[in-house]
Amino acid sequence: MIQPSKSNSLAGPATTHRLARSIGPILALVMLVTLCWCGYQRLWSVRAWNTPPQYAGDALWGMASTKIMADGEVWPLLSKTPASLGAPFGANWNDYPSTEEGLTTIWALLVRVFGLHLGTNLVLLLGHLLIAVAFYFTCGCFSYSRLFSIVGAFLFAFSHYAFFRGLSHLGLTFYWHIPLGILVAYWCFESPPSWRNRSRLVFCLLVAVLFGGQNPYYSGMFLQFLVLSALLAGLRRRSLRPIWLPFLLCLVVLATFIVMNLDTFYFQYIHGKNPTAVTRRYGELELYALKPIELLLPRWHSITALADWSRLTYYNQAWFLGEAGAPYLGVIAILTGAWLALTVFKTVAFMGKERLPLHPWALLWLLAYSVVGGLGGVFGLTGFILLRSGNRYSIFILAILLLYLVRQLDRWTQSWPPIPRVTLAASLLTLGFFDQVPPFGWYQNPASITRAVSEDKAVASRLQAELPHNAMVFQLPTLDFPEAPLAGTLGPYDLFRPYLQSHGLRFSYGSGKGRPREWWQREVAQLGPADLLESLERYGFSAVLIHRNGYADGGTALQEGFAQNGRAEVLSKTTDYLALRLNPISPAEVPPDFASGWYYLEGGSAQNLRWSSGEAVIIFTNTASLPRSVNLRFALGTLRSRHVRVSFGKSILFEGEIGNGSETVQIEDKIVLSPGENRLIFWTDKPAELPGNGDERQLAFSLLNFKVSRQLQL
């Protein structure tokens, strides 16, 4: 049999004996990756291991979701309503897709055993080790030499992309299965496994499950490779037989994806879709598309002059950067690309007898799909915009180039003596590590991480000491979750920080945006200090925590407003936080839920209103075991005359005509809330309509100065 590394084919099957002989090199590879990674991260002390590698941005979101699972508040594949966040209801995390729950589970297990920070460092190291081992295994299946397979595996594990993604995008950092997917796609094209070759067939199915249960960007490209393999194999053999396996693997990927997101699908089936949970626009396909020049230019580099030149000539002048800096391939991969291009040119120009390898065809497809205005943009015209960041496919480009590098080095140096081969390998390892890995602390100053963690621990400890177990803490400013606009210098997920260092407290931040139930936080905050304090204490909050970075004055005006209303006791004051004590009322109430048919609250404490879009519902929840009475007071208004009915259960609180313009109807009544949910229903005889003043909303009637009195137990 012709060895694939000596032939023109991309790969061939590896023998069990060859893989068994790889155990020693794999152990050496694991040790090499571990030592280099620990050296880069400066993890030579217990204190260093107990400091997170990142403590800002999406890394905080990832640690929060992991802590929730480690604490047993949510379980994989099940409904996600953690009680520690989104107080007083508990957070709703069911609207946002969570395909990577397998990875989160592994991370949570490490956190449960080793603690949040040590477990986080360990899972990040695990990602790099898996990348290296999977690439090495793939090279073994392609029958490449062990020496240069180690080189390729090391370079793939220490890609610039991996450190750019890091903890902030851990699901993207765990790209270890990409070489396995390339291997399976090749098999589907070149030599599809049959039912008789069960070991290879099972391997292909397992890889399909891996892709279906991890980041959807990688799943999407794997599906494309499978479809292309099926089409090309079918055309080459003029038969439908080669299509069955890629088709089966596509079904497995999709089925796994559906299983991983069943909780989201079920929740949206019961409660309706939430269009604002994940917002994507066509322009983002262009903003986050792959710009090929970024494959060549590092935004951060150990050679400061090179990074400065790249920023000066490109990054500081480009109009649409997106996720700039991630795609950089590194010098070795760039030279490999040039080597491959030269090979293609020679083969085509001189009509060489050798068949072109499959590498350039795969690269052409990746570029055609992911670049600005490419096939990804064409697919976006159909409305499929969820996978908007084409620049993330640069890691597939790197994988293919490094596989080609290992193949060519194996062929090129086969007649060399051992010492020159080892010298070349060591030189590539050294150059690749120095070139591909960004400077330590490029994303976040390690000293700032230590300071932030220390401050968070201090404020969390103080709150835990001063407040009862399971006390609720309201956080200001109020921010949507996830992907909210920034407030001041507050990071996008900085409101998670106190939660990460606490135990036995419930925080208001962190429930998924878009559902009317979560509007109350923003709306009570806009009513001013007096109404805000009255509402928070009625809802059972024991403290208000001001994130001072969210305000230009550091929260001074808020503190003065609370002091003027009798809430001046400071529980904790640090550079980032100001915590004030509240006096919660018992039994606590639950904010009314403007469940359907309403727009956001307008106005302030003195005068406010809320427009309806037609028939509407307000839900009152009585968490007690006995009925409670509620005093309601509000007015109804409308732009044009219409009939309105307000009912509660079998009782009609109001029914009649509401006049035009400034005419309103005052309503005041008492209703009795049974334990559980109770619905106040508003009905009108006419559909909503445009007001004619440039407002694009369809409006029916308005609810003015809606007020709920103290709920009394009967």
Side-chain angles (χ1 to χ4, degrees):
M1 186 178 91
I2 299 177
Q3 292 293 327
S5 58
K6 300 177 183 178
S7 70
N8 301 319
S9 63
L10 179 64
T15 63
T16 304
H17 177 67
R18 183 178 180 86
L19 293 179
R21 291 171 56 198
S22 297
I23 294 178
I26 287 176
L27 292 177
L29 176 63
V30 168
M31 291 179 61
L32 178 64
V33 171
T34 301
L35 288 173
C36 290
W37 187 82
C38 291
Y40 171 77
Q41 299 286 4
R42 314 292 200 268
L43 297 178
W44 303 121
S45 67
V46 174
R47 180 179 179 182
W49 276 99
N50 281 285
T51 301
Q54 295 177 15
Y55 202 65
D58 286 10
L60 297 172
W61 179 5
M63 286 190 281
S65 60
T66 302
K67 183 177 184 294
I68 287 169
M69 187 175 288
D71 291 343
E73 293 194 56
V74 300
W75 292 86
L77 307 181
L78 300 180
S79 177
K80 296 169 181 60
T81 54
S84 295
L85 298 169
F89 297 105
N92 169 26
W93 281 23
N94 296 296
D95 276 323
Y96 203 91
S98 52
T99 305
E100 302 152 348
E101 291 184 27
L103 172 58
T104 305
T105 302
I106 295 173
W107 189 0
L109 289 173
L110 291 171
V111 167
R112 190 168 182 85
V113 174
F114 299 103
L116 179 62
H117 299 156
L118 176 55
T120 296
N121 276 302
L122 288 174
V123 78
L124 199 54
L125 171 59
L126 176 64
H128 289 269
L129 292 175
L130 286 174
I131 294 167
V133 172
F135 190 96
Y136 182 88
F137 174 83
T138 302
C139 290
C141 292
F142 286 131
S143 298
Y144 298 153
S145 72
R146 292 190 295 273
L147 177 62
F148 292 111
S149 295
I150 289 177
V151 173
F154 181 89
L155 296 177
F156 195 54
F158 284 90
S159 68
H160 195 82
Y161 179 95
F163 288 91
F164 182 93
R165 299 300 172 187
L167 190 63
S168 292
H169 292 157
L170 190 66
L172 293 172
T173 305
F174 268 68
Y175 56 80
W176 63 282
H177 52 309
I178 288 178
L180 306 179
I182 294 173
L183 172 65
V184 169
Y186 169 76
W187 279 343
C188 289
F189 169 76
E190 190 71 24
S191 55
S194 65
W195 291 109
R196 297 178 181 177
N197 191 348
R198 293 185 178 179
S199 59
R200 182 179 287 191
L201 181 61
V202 169
F203 175 80
C204 292
L205 292 172
L206 288 176
V207 170
V209 171
L210 284 174
F211 273 91
Q214 296 198 67
N215 191 276
Y217 278 93
Y218 303 153
S219 307
M221 186 53 65
F222 180 56
L223 288 173
Q224 293 180 46
F225 277 7
L226 290 176
V227 171
L228 290 172
S229 296
L231 292 176
L232 294 175
L235 291 173
R236 188 175 70 167
R237 293 179 173 84
R238 298 182 180 180
S239 170
L240 295 178
R241 291 187 62 185
I243 296 177
W244 73 267
L245 179 59
F247 179 74
L248 174 62
L249 296 179
C250 287
L251 290 180
V252 171
V253 173
L254 294 174
T256 306
F257 177 84
I258 291 172
V259 169
M260 298 302 293
N261 291 280
L262 271 179
D263 55 327
T264 298
F265 297 143
Y266 176 76
F267 184 85
Q268 294 193 352
Y269 173 77
I270 296 298
H271 299 278
K273 288 191 175 296
N274 181 353
T276 61
V278 183
T279 55
R280 299 290 185 264
R281 294 178 294 275
Y282 184 88
E284 295 173 347
L285 284 171
E286 299 180 355
L287 176 64
Y288 297 112
L290 177 65
K291 290 83 171 177
I293 193 172
E294 293 183 12
L295 298 171
L296 312 176
L297 298 178
R299 194 175 185 183
W300 297 274
H301 200 275
S302 299
I303 301 177
T304 306
L306 176 59
D308 291 343
W309 178 83
S310 296
R311 285 194 287 267
L312 180 64
T313 55
Y314 172 72
Y315 290 107
N316 291 348
Q317 299 190 51
W319 281 20
F320 305 106
L321 286 177
E323 295 177 327
Y328 177 61
L329 296 175
V331 170
I332 294 176
I334 293 171
L335 293 177
T336 301
W339 190 356
L340 176 58
L342 180 61
T343 301
V344 171
F345 174 78
K346 290 172 59 179
T347 303
V348 173
F350 300 103
M351 301 180 65
K353 296 181 180 180
E354 293 187 353
R355 190 185 75 179
L356 275 177
L358 294 178
H359 305 77
W361 302 112
L363 293 175
L364 282 175
W365 176 261
L366 284 165
L367 290 171
Y369 180 84
S370 57
V371 297
V372 179
L375 293 177
V378 175
F379 293 156
L381 296 176
T382 66
F384 184 75
I385 310 176
L386 183 63
L387 304 180
R388 58 180 176 172
S389 301
N391 73 89
R392 297 176 179 181
Y393 293 120
S394 63
I395 193 61
F396 278 84
I397 294 175
L398 179 63
I400 292 171
L401 287 174
L402 290 179
L403 285 171
Y404 181 76
L405 174 67
V406 175
R407 172 184 184 266
Q408 293 301 97
L409 289 176
D410 184 21
R411 299 176 62 184
W412 185 41
T413 66
Q414 205 145 56
S415 61
W416 289 20
I419 293 180
R421 281 168 61 92
V422 172
T423 302
L424 175 61
S427 300
L428 292 173
L429 289 174
T430 304
L431 173 62
F433 182 82
F434 178 78
D435 171 57
Q436 295 176 183
V437 175
F440 179 66
W442 70 274
Y443 177 78
Q444 189 176 11
N445 189 317
S448 69
I449 296 177
T450 302
R451 185 202 66 80
V453 170
S454 176
E455 188 161 341
D456 294 351
K457 287 181 177 180
V459 72
S461 299
R462 182 67 175 169
L463 291 174
Q464 289 168 188
E466 292 289 337
L467 303 178
H469 184 69
N470 281 337
M472 294 192 297
V473 179
F474 189 80
Q475 296 170 270
L476 289 171
T478 57
L479 296 181
D480 288 339
F481 169 79
E483 300 176 340
L486 301 184
T489 60
L490 202 64
Y493 301 108
D494 278 2
L495 268 65
F496 276 132
R497 284 173 43 187
Y499 162 72
L500 293 176
Q501 310 303 331
S502 69
H503 298 281
L505 295 175
R506 300 179 61 198
F507 293 87
S508 61
Y509 174 70
S511 191
K513 65 183 179 183
R515 300 284 178 183
R517 192 192 72 170
E518 319 305 334
W519 293 355
W520 75 272
Q521 294 192 26
R522 181 174 62 181
E523 293 176 352
V524 297
Q526 78 184 60
L527 294 179
D531 282 8
L532 172 60
L533 290 171
E534 189 270 335
S535 296
L536 294 182
E537 293 183 341
R538 185 152 47 91
Y539 299 152
F541 283 88
S542 298
V544 59
L545 180 63
I546 300 171
H547 294 251
R548 303 178 68 186
N549 291 339
Y551 299 93
D553 65 350
T556 301
L558 268 176
Q559 183 180 10
E560 292 174 353
F562 291 153
Q564 292 171 5
N565 287 274
R567 300 295 179 266
E569 183 180 351
V570 176
L571 295 175
S572 179
K573 186 173 183 179
T574 67
T575 303
D576 292 344
Y577 303 106
L578 173 63
L580 303 174
R581 187 187 296 276
L582 301 179
N583 298 322
I585 296 174
S586 182
E589 303 174 13
V590 175
D593 178 7
F594 291 82
S596 62
W598 300 103
Y599 294 106
Y600 290 127
L601 184 71
E602 303 173 41
S605 178
Q607 185 77 12
N608 60 78
L609 63 85
R610 186 191 307 271
W611 282 100
S612 77
S613 60
E615 297 183 17
V617 176
I618 302 176
I619 297 178
F620 299 92
T621 302
N622 180 6
T623 58
S625 58
L626 297 175
R628 289 179 179 171
S629 65
V630 173
N631 290 318
L632 294 180
R633 186 172 69 252
F634 58 90
L636 292 174
T638 183
L639 294 175
R640 281 173 280 277
S641 179
R642 65 173 58 243
H643 191 85
V644 177
R645 181 173 65 240
V646 184
S647 62
F648 181 78
K650 297 180 179 180
S651 302
I652 304 297
L653 304 186
F654 169 82
E655 184 168 9
E657 291 288 326
I658 301 178
N660 296 328
S662 61
E663 298 181 20
T664 60
V665 174
Q666 300 292 328
I667 299 173
E668 185 169 357
D669 209 332
K670 178 183 291 186
I671 59 176
V672 177
L673 302 180
S674 302
E677 290 189 354
N678 301 262
R679 292 174 178 263
L680 185 66
I681 300 174
F682 296 76
W683 173 88
T684 182
D685 63 333
K686 297 178 182 178
E689 54 189 343
L690 291 172
N693 59 357
D695 192 334
E696 297 181 354
R697 297 176 298 173
Q698 297 278 344
L699 307 179
F701 55 87
S702 60
L703 188 68
L704 292 87
N705 297 323
F706 183 79
K707 185 72 174 179
V708 183
S709 71
R710 174 84 171 92
Q711 297 181 3
L712 301 174
Q713 189 170 0
L714 297 180

